[in-house]
Amino acid sequence: MTANLTKQTHFDAIIIGAGACGLMCAVQAGFLGKSVLILEKNDRAGAKILISGGGRCNYTNLHTSYKQFLSQNEHFCRSALAQWTVEDSISFFEAYGIEGKEKTLGQLFPVSDKARDVVNVFTSLCTDFGQEIWYNTEVVKLEQQDGGFSISYKQYDTEENIFAAKVVVASGGLPIQKLGATDLGMRIARSFGMKVTATSPALVPLTITGKDQPWYEKLSGNSIFSRVWNDRASFEENILFTHWGLSGPAILQISSYWKPGEHIFIDLLPGQNIADLIAAERVQNGKKMLLAYLSGLFTRKFAEALSDYLPAEKNLASLTNAELDALEMLIHEFKVKPAGTKGYDKAEVMTGGVDTNELSSKTLESKKVQGLFFGGECVDVTGWLGGYNFQWAWASGFVIAQNL
Ligand code: FDA
């Protein structure tokens, strides 16, 4: 252990977590001639980057602004996002051989479709700058000591302490324990008397239980372009029916704005009006059965499922006004009361985290504890689906590096 203690005196700071924020922070510190040590619980760097975007890594979004982030203070992320912009992310990765391609809605992925390329940029730059990463090293506690910090960590069943003048907490959020997630960021904040806002799984599938569940189960695998909304947000993307409920991008997006016990609403035909469509069809083809007509708009399987709630065997001409009103409600205001979410094991991120009131938005340093910085997902800043969360992680890592 003496060797470790000797080594730490050379580091300007210790970063907890070799994820998106910690890696960017280490590399940017390297550009500024500052040396850092990263302590990482996993046996490799960037576990979440590697599986992100289905292994292809949606590393930023062209439309990023503070408006795509949830936080108790929606303006908090603005300073960091202005200091490290989407253009900065794009040119940084381009400089190291990663060209971006837009898939949809501003989402940028590496042309290679390989998340591994993104992680390699960071690990090779860390090597070039001499930034060290200690793997299989789990930080358990942080205390103030001698004008800096004593970090307690477990490494191969032994517990040791190391001194750091400055500490960057980039230990991520609660989703997916098997990828290394811990509550360390929030625990450290609380141990220094800093507030933490309530956390919950976000960008997560929603479950349906009880009498409605078989209806969703029989539609399992069907994907429909929809608008999903509640009184706080609205998203137009696909929804996916599964045997336990609802998934797909629009559902993941609204999940971040959903609270247990609440309803969400789905417009199954966004941008069109079913009453107008049927009125027009009636003129040409009044004898057409409603089921046949709906099968043309959706899949046959989906139209059959809708028939559970509709007089599907009636022809269009014979539909009463009341039946048309019911159809309109069903198609444009389909009401769903989820039982819950699939939880942290299936969530992409969490809402909540270290209260932004505790941090300087310009430096991400704790207002109470000098030399202690928080970045990435452990802070109460949560992005929409689509590359926004990595943009926040890169930006916060960059900002902290400038202030170490
Ligand atoms: P991150 O989780 O990346 O890193 C934290 C690191 O700290 C981990 O390596 C962890 O092992 C380590 N750690 C934790 N506790 C520790 C301890 N006690 N001691 C030492 N080390 C510790 N976002 C996006 O923008 N585009 C996308 O395509 C996707 N896709 C995606 C898919 C899936 C399946 C998930 C789960 C998530 C995404 N995300 C995403 C979200 C994105 O992965 C996430 O927002 C960032 O990785 C957060 O970066 P951080 O550096 O804050 O945490």
Side-chain angles (χ1 to χ4, degrees), residues 17 19-21 40-42 52-53 58 139 171 180 182 348 377 387 390:
C21 174
E40 169 55 54
K41 178 174 182 263
N42 288 332
S52 67
N58 174 196
V139 173
S171 52
T182 70
E348 292 203 4
E377 201 182 322
F390 279 139

Side-chain angles (χ1 to χ4, degrees), residues 43-263:
D43 60 3
R44 61 197 182 285
K48 275 195 192 161
I49 302 175
L50 289 172
I51 57 136
S52 67
R56 294 171 304 167
C57 186
N58 174 196
Y59 64 90
T60 191
N61 193 297
L62 298 173
H63 308 314
T64 303
S65 78
Y66 74 96
K67 292 182 180 157
Q68 292 86 29
F69 294 87
L70 292 85
S71 171
Q72 276 194 3
N73 175 2
E74 63 174 350
H75 295 285
F76 179 82
C77 62
R78 291 177 83 150
S79 173
L81 294 175
Q83 292 181 61
W84 179 269
T85 63
V86 173
E87 290 68 35
D88 290 324
S89 294
I90 293 170
S91 40
F92 170 79
F93 287 111
E94 271 178 8
Y96 297 99
I98 298 183
E99 295 288 326
K101 65 175 166 190
E102 183 185 351
K103 291 238 160 116
T104 173
L105 301 172
Q107 300 171 8
L108 276 204
F109 292 76
V111 169
S112 68
D113 270 340
K114 288 195 186 110
R116 157 72 50 204
D117 293 349
V118 173
V119 176
N120 286 348
V121 167
F122 291 112
T123 47
S124 41
L125 280 171
C126 279
T127 307
D128 293 350
F129 287 128
Q131 312 291 44
E132 281 192 39
I133 308 178
W134 292 358
Y135 294 107
N136 302 302
T137 305
E138 179 176 0
V139 173
V140 286
K141 209 166 65 182
L142 185 67
E143 285 171 325
Q144 274 178 307
Q145 191 185 77
D146 305 333
F149 301 89
S150 169
I151 301 178
S152 310
Y153 63 90
K154 279 194 216 148
Q155 198 178 44
Y156 302 109
D157 293 333
T158 59
E159 202 162 326
E160 309 280 356
N161 297 306
I162 187 169
F163 179 83
K166 291 175 179 172
V167 171
V168 180
V169 184
S171 52
L174 295 170
I176 318 202
Q177 226 179 339
K178 66 173 190 283
L179 292 176
T182 70
D183 65 349
L184 183 77
M186 281 76 74
R187 255 193 293 132
I188 289 177
R190 285 196 192 97
S191 74
F192 284 101
M194 298 167 65
K195 288 200 191 79
V196 172
T197 65
T199 53
S200 59
L203 300 182
V204 63
L206 298 173
T207 57
I208 310 286
T209 55
K211 63 178 175 28
D212 292 335
Q213 188 264 337
W215 191 82
Y216 288 83
E217 188 168 6
K218 74 179 170 197
L219 280 171
S220 183
N222 271 248
S223 175
I224 292 176
F225 184 78
S226 306
R227 183 171 79 87
V228 181
W229 82 95
N230 62 11
D231 55 6
R232 291 184 284 277
S234 169
F235 297 95
E236 255 185 48
E237 279 181 79
N238 281 344
I239 63 168
L240 174 69
F241 290 85
T242 73
H243 57 278
W244 39 256
L246 287 167
S247 188
I251 295 296
L252 299 186
Q253 298 279 35
I254 203 74
S255 74
S256 303
Y257 291 87
W258 177 79
K259 292 197 178 75
E262 292 181 351
H263 287 94

